[in-house]
Amino acid sequence: MSLPIRTRLTVWFTALVFLGTGAVAAFLYIGFGNSVAAFMTEHLHHEAVRIERLMKGASSAKELQKTLELVVGPQQHGYDFYCRILDREGNPLLQSPAEMRLTFAIPETVRNGSATVAFTTVPGPAGTGALRVYTTSLQPALCGALADDAFLQIAQPTEMMVERLRTLRRWGALGLAFVVTFFAIAGYFLIRKALQPVAAISAHASAIGASDLARRLPRRDTHDELDELAAVLNEMFERLETAFVRNRRFAAAAAHQLRTPLTGLRGHLEMINREPDVRGRLDDVLVDVDRMVTLCRRMLLWTKVSEGAGPSARTDWTAVDVRELCHDLAVGARTTARRSGVRLAFEADDDPILVTGSATLLGEAVHNLIDNAIRHTPRGGTVRVRARRSESGVDIVVEDDGPGIPPHAEARIFRHFERAHGKTDGGFGLGLPIARGIVRSHGGDLFLERPSSGGAAFRIHLPT
Amino acid sequence: MRVLVVEDDARIRRFVVQGLEEEGATTQTAETGREFAALASDGSFDAVILDLGLPDADGVDVLEALRRDGCRTPVLVLTARDSIEDRVRGLDAGADDYLVKPFAFVELSARLRALHRRNREHDDRDHLSVADLVLDVRTRRVTRGEKRIELSPREFSLLEYLMRHAGEVVTRAMIAENVWDQSVEHFSNVIDVYMGYLRKKVDRPFDGPRLICTVRGVGYTIPDNDAA
């Protein structure tokens, strides 16, 4: 899951609040339901005792019926209340006038005498809720006039109880929703506030990578977890910077040290190549040596302009006409382009476009882009070089209609010795990192763009 | 031409000396700053090739001291250091040209000859002429015979540079550095293209001899008046 931590934490927190509050509410609800049911049972029991007491005074079935009519009925209770006397088979001997054509079986425990009373719940008449039924065997003295042994059943709809519980549920749900919403919102803001230092750390850390490795994260000196994190990250940056500097120094020293033996090698090959009997036979070897020389030069250049190398010297900065520079480089690259069967087009405004910088370095950057584009454009393709004034400076775009940069290679192409298309393209894998380093040292940046025509487009932006 | 080669690396010294002698120069060698100072001070050399990384001293310091003592011999500095600061420091100390290792010998020899020649005549000419081609630096007018030739600013600078070095071979690197203010790596082809433009305007429309010549493997040249 890629949701931000604050969202995830809020979701978890809310879920926990929901579970906790829900559990408490459920306990309360169940307890309340139980006590309502107990109250009802007790009520039925009291009624039964009262009816039995009244029945004692009746001598005939008729009187008994009257008694029943007296105790039962809506006027007595304000709600339906059923009462009847059944024989052993469950046939009613007497019943209250309230319409009750329902047969409730006599619970087995009461019928066989193992229990004197039983409570059951049965479905009520159609359209009403369930009925709570109280069944008890009548003492022979009470039922002598009717049958040998008889049973008294009284029933009361549970609707009242159900209605109360429903109301309780409704309010409970509302309360729960309110509490959960409140905690969700409050929790989100609390978590966001707690995570704010993390956002600050990440903003500072990303700035360090892009510009200057010597920068450090600000400490708040609160000595909490996040402050400790900043301290640990700072230590890591320290080690990183040391490693980076050592790396760069090593590359510079290696390239530098290679120059003297290469000079000797090149010079001697050149001398041998002049001898009448070898004349020209070492030309190819010299081309290879010159390739090594170029690599050396580029490695040194990379160590000077790569990320984190610090501000570059501005001793040779002058006003450079970017339009002319691009034009000349495009003109010069036509020979190479023609050899690869690639067309090279140059478009620019007519007026000079001046920026302040090093002509040599900017030339190197633009050349690297053009060279790159030609190498990655198939025969018959076109490379376009454009130099334009933009709102905040100058844009130099080198666009090709080659295969483009595969998305997975986008991050790699600016790293040294990495290439988008394997090892077969004849480059060193230093051109783009150097170009970007140069442009950044001039206060600009190099962007990779995807033109609608396909292919790849690199855009140098320079401030004026 | 008498050349003093100051270089502590024996292999480099050997091929430089061999190359120069094959081209008819006489050479003498020095391996340390002290030797260099001792030999250079008598002023009998036409040019000095000086490696900056000497075992006993920084070549720049020795050179500075020599210049203070009034030594005017042209000095071509050889170095593995190619940062702009190093370049500026070398030239400020009194070096006349700067070549970064590794280099091609033809480059070294072409620069050395250009240095040697420049030393003989301080070049503040406003009028440059080769055969019937005339270039006026102040009015920026170029004519061949009676006919005016229109040149773009870059073509003009290129022709001026060639004419100032008439009779010498100038390498592409020299042209890139002096006309374009660029390093040669990416401008070698540009120079060839502009040389083509220049030939189209300066040589092709005229019946006279072709003035701009290619020296295969080295660079270009315009003959001086003695030859033309």
Side-chain angles (χ1 to χ4, degrees):
Chain A
M1 202 156 67
S2 58
L3 286 170
I5 286 187
R6 59 172 188 276
T7 316
R8 271 185 288 166
L9 273 180
T10 310
V11 168
W12 278 106
F13 176 69
T14 310
L16 285 176
V17 167
F18 176 75
L19 283 178
T21 323
V24 171
F27 272 122
L28 287 176
Y29 176 77
I30 290 166
F32 181 73
N34 282 345
S35 73
V36 169
F39 172 76
M40 212 171 154
T41 305
E42 212 166 289
H43 178 68
L44 280 172
H45 183 69
H46 279 296
E47 282 301 311
V49 170
R50 193 164 72 94
I51 290 167
E52 276 182 76
R53 202 184 303 131
L54 286 169
M55 281 170 76
K56 272 187 196 151
S59 52
S60 65
K62 211 169 191 159
E63 259 182 83
L64 267 176
Q65 177 75 37
K66 269 207 184 110
T67 311
L68 286 188
E69 278 171 27
L70 205 71
V71 292
V72 183
Q75 72 279 17
Q76 288 285 324
H77 298 275
Y79 53 86
D80 288 340
F81 190 84
Y82 307 97
C83 176
R84 60 184 179 179
I85 292 166
L86 306 160
D87 66 9
R88 201 169 176 76
E89 276 68 48
N91 300 313
L93 298 169
L94 290 171
Q95 61 183 348
S96 62
E99 220 23 72
M100 192 166 106
R101 292 189 209 292
L102 300 156
T103 43
F104 325 133
I106 298 163
E108 201 48 45
T109 50
V110 178
R111 195 193 339 237
N112 63 25
S114 63
T116 51
V117 293
F119 289 94
T120 47
T121 305
V122 300
T128 65
L131 293 172
R132 185 85 172 143
V133 183
Y134 172 88
T135 312
T136 181
S137 51
L138 282 176
Q139 290 157 20
L142 284 175
C143 59
L146 297 164
D148 288 344
D149 47 10
F151 300 90
L152 171 70
Q153 259 193 340
I154 56 178
Q156 190 187 352
T158 56
E159 212 177 299
M160 284 274 294
M161 182 179 89
V162 169
E163 184 57 40
R164 293 245 166 103
L165 288 176
R166 198 178 293 142
T167 311
L168 182 69
R169 269 206 310 271
R170 204 173 297 136
W171 282 105
L174 204 67
L176 190 65
F178 178 75
V179 168
V180 169
T181 313
F182 174 77
F183 275 97
I185 294 170
Y188 178 80
F189 283 105
L190 267 178
I191 291 163
R192 207 176 66 162
K193 176 121 187 62
L195 287 178
Q196 236 149 33
V198 176
I201 287 176
S202 98
H204 280 288
S206 58
I208 288 175
S211 55
D212 192 355
L213 262 178
R215 274 172 63 182
R216 292 289 174 268
L217 297 173
R219 294 282 305 273
R220 291 174 305 147
D221 289 321
T222 48
H223 295 289
D224 57 12
E225 291 89 334
L226 291 177
D227 196 40
E228 289 302 312
L229 175 66
V232 170
L233 285 176
N234 276 345
E235 279 167 34
M236 192 194 73
F237 282 129
E238 194 79 48
R239 287 195 296 273
L240 214 57
E241 190 195 0
T242 315
F244 210 83
V245 167
R246 199 183 302 138
N247 202 344
R248 198 178 6 244
R249 261 188 221 139
F250 174 77
H256 200 76
Q257 289 302 318
L258 270 172
R259 287 191 149 171
T260 304
L262 274 176
T263 310
L265 178 64
R266 211 201 175 286
H268 283 284
L269 284 172
E270 218 180 330
M271 289 304 131
I272 296 167
N273 206 27
R274 288 173 157 200
E275 309 270 322
D277 48 336
V278 256
R279 190 177 295 279
R281 275 159 64 189
L282 293 177
D283 286 355
D284 288 346
V285 186
L286 280 166
V287 168
D288 279 339
V289 175
D290 285 339
R291 231 176 107 72
M292 286 196 264
V293 171
T294 308
L295 178 56
C296 259
R297 196 185 63 81
R298 299 197 129 202
M299 270 169 72
L300 271 173
L301 188 55
W302 173 78
T303 61
K304 273 174 215 150
V305 299
S306 65
E307 208 162 272
S312 66
R314 300 186 168 190
T315 37
D316 71 330
W317 281 34
T318 53
V320 179
D321 181 358
V322 170
R323 188 199 162 280
E324 192 180 42
L325 180 76
C326 293
H327 168 262
D328 284 356
L329 283 166
V331 161
R334 283 220 174 104
T335 319
T336 323
R338 212 174 297 127
R339 222 174 289 139
S340 331
V342 174
R343 214 174 71 84
L344 207 144
F346 174 75
E347 303 155 27
D349 306 335
D350 288 334
D351 305 323
I353 307 172
L354 294 178
V355 297
T356 308
S358 156
T360 322
L361 289 178
L362 289 175
E364 169 93 24
V366 176
H367 170 268
N368 287 356
L369 296 189
I370 297 177
D371 188 53
N372 226 32
I374 292 174
R375 273 189 288 111
H376 291 116
T377 303
R379 223 156 243 290
T382 306
V383 171
R384 290 195 163 74
V385 182
R386 282 194 298 269
R388 288 241 166 80
R389 238 176 265 282
S390 74
E391 281 162 42
S392 53
V394 179
D395 276 333
I396 302 164
V397 181
V398 179
E399 188 181 317
D400 66 57
D401 49 11
I405 310 285
H408 63 85
E410 256 176 54
R412 279 195 298 131
I413 54 167
F414 288 114
R415 268 183 251 151
H416 56 293
F417 295 123
E418 296 261 15
R419 277 163 287 177
H421 299 280
K423 289 185 184 284
T424 52
D425 60 14
F428 289 124
L430 278 173
L432 285 176
I434 287 174
R436 185 161 77 167
I438 290 171
V439 176
R440 284 190 174 167
S441 73
H442 282 73
D445 210 344
L446 175 61
F447 304 95
L448 169 63
E449 289 175 347
R450 299 186 169 282
S452 50
S453 57
F458 286 95
R459 179 167 63 89
I460 290 177
H461 176 79
L462 289 171
T464 36
Chain B
M1 182 160 72
R2 269 172 59 79
V3 182
L4 175 60
V5 180
V6 189
E7 166 66 76
D8 63 318
D9 188 285
R11 284 156 303 177
I12 296 175
R13 202 171 55 227
R14 223 177 298 142
F15 89 75
V16 170
V17 167
Q18 186 195 338
L20 288 175
E21 286 185 349
E22 277 174 17
E23 292 186 353
T26 17
T27 58
Q28 194 155 358
T29 60
E31 290 174 43
T32 61
R34 205 157 355 145
E35 272 183 72
F36 163 50
L39 285 168
S41 54
D42 74 6
S44 65
F45 293 98
D46 296 314
V48 177
I49 295 172
L50 172 65
D51 175 53
L52 287 190
L54 294 174
D56 61 338
D58 187 341
V60 173
D61 298 335
V62 185
L63 179 60
E64 224 166 5
L66 264 171
R67 288 292 188 235
R68 265 201 306 274
D69 294 345
C71 169
R72 301 276 308 270
T73 314
V75 172
L76 188 148
V77 157
L78 283 187
T79 178
R81 288 177 274 184
D82 74 338
S83 76
I84 291 138
E85 294 92 325
D86 285 328
R87 232 174 250 255
V88 170
R89 205 173 140 238
L91 295 175
D92 280 352
D96 298 274
D97 202 358
Y98 209 93
L99 195 54
V100 176
K101 290 180 187 174
F103 52 87
F105 179 78
V106 286
E107 185 70 48
L108 175 75
S109 115
R111 281 174 190 259
L112 207 59
R113 261 168 297 169
L115 264 189
H116 175 51
R117 173 132 174 183
R118 224 174 301 162
N119 189 45
R120 281 180 302 170
E121 46 185 272
H122 184 58
D123 195 354
D124 53 2
R125 293 170 291 167
D126 287 338
H127 269 276
L128 303 169
S129 70
V130 171
D132 54 347
L133 179 67
V134 178
L135 180 143
D136 187 326
V137 179
R138 261 193 239 154
T139 59
R140 302 191 79 77
R141 260 173 70 105
V142 181
T143 51
R144 187 158 183 189
E146 296 298 304
K147 228 180 135 195
R148 174 114 190 236
I149 301 172
E150 294 296 334
L151 295 178
S152 75
R154 190 68 85 193
E155 289 160 357
F156 184 89
S157 311
L158 185 57
L159 186 61
E160 183 192 338
Y161 186 71
L162 283 172
M163 288 177 80
R164 278 199 195 281
H165 293 86
E168 297 162 26
V169 178
V170 289
T171 65
R172 288 188 180 79
M174 288 158 79
I175 296 172
E177 281 164 29
N178 290 290
V179 179
W180 267 271
D181 198 16
Q182 280 280 357
S183 68
V184 71
E185 282 86 0
H186 315 315
F187 276 77
S188 174
N189 287 330
V190 182
I191 292 164
D192 294 345
V193 170
Y194 274 88
M195 215 55 95
Y197 295 162
L198 211 52
R199 278 186 169 142
K200 213 180 279 176
K201 292 182 178 176
V202 174
D203 274 338
R204 225 162 289 162
F206 299 95
D207 296 331
R210 285 180 46 206
L211 293 178
I212 300 169
C213 307
T214 307
V215 181
R216 220 182 86 77
V218 188
Y220 293 93
T221 188
I222 278 187
D224 58 15
N225 279 321
D226 314 333

